[in-house]
Amino acid sequence: MTAMSNYLENALINATLRNTSYTSPSTVYVALFTSDPTDAGSGTECSGSGYARQSATFSAPSNGSASTNADVSFPQATGAWGTITHFGIFDASSSGNLLYHGALTASKTIASGDLLKITSTNLTVTLA
């Protein structure tokens, strides 16, 4: 299950109820976390050892859900990234604002030399 960040919740309320502009990002990026980022974006994102957020594209929504329409492949780890438990979707390749977050179905420990790929349609954002 995905959750919206506080940032996105406030931006959408302002846009839909207060006539305040919100500019959608032209590209979104998937980040990997070793702890829950929470709505506040306070989790521990991987860093170093070849880690970098990766861009993602999504299909058109249907019934409040949209899934990635291409694989999201992270670079080969040049050192341990730790045990990945959560993901986040951001509006920038570094820093930026957390938009959505959620737990992985199964955690994955990334050691030096490992690759992590989220195959097409396996990352879904659902609004309830």
Side-chain angles (χ1 to χ4, degrees), residues 12-63:
L12 293 178
I13 288 171
N14 280 330
T16 58
L17 302 178
R18 300 184 64 234
N19 194 29
T20 302
S21 296
Y22 171 73
T23 303
S24 299
S26 57
T27 305
V28 294
Y29 298 85
V30 178
L32 303 174
F33 286 81
T34 58
S35 65
D36 185 355
T38 74
D39 288 358
S42 59
T44 303
E45 184 177 358
C46 295
S47 65
S49 300
Y51 169 79
R53 294 178 188 171
Q54 298 301 301
S55 63
T57 57
F58 286 81
S59 61
S62 175
N63 297 318

Side-chain angles (χ1 to χ4, degrees), residues 67-78:
S67 298
T68 51
N69 58 13
D71 293 348
V72 179
S73 298
F74 288 83
Q76 185 173 26
T78 59

Side-chain angles (χ1 to χ4, degrees), residues 82-96:
T83 301
I84 310 305
T85 59
H86 291 77
F87 69 91
I89 299 174
F90 282 81
D91 62 4
S93 60
S94 63
S95 297

Side-chain angles (χ1 to χ4, degrees), residues 1-9 12 22 24-25 28-33 36-41 58 61 64-66 86-91 97-103 123-128:
M1 173 115 196
T2 50
M4 273 193 241
S5 68
N6 292 338
Y7 164 81
L8 185 57
E9 290 168 349
L12 293 178
Y22 171 73
S24 299
V28 294
Y29 298 85
V30 178
L32 303 174
F33 286 81
D36 185 355
T38 74
D39 288 358
F58 286 81
S65 290
H86 291 77
F87 69 91
I89 299 174
F90 282 81
D91 62 4
N97 300 294
L98 177 65
L99 303 174
Y100 300 97
H101 63 93
L123 178 59
T124 301
V125 172
T126 302
L127 301 182

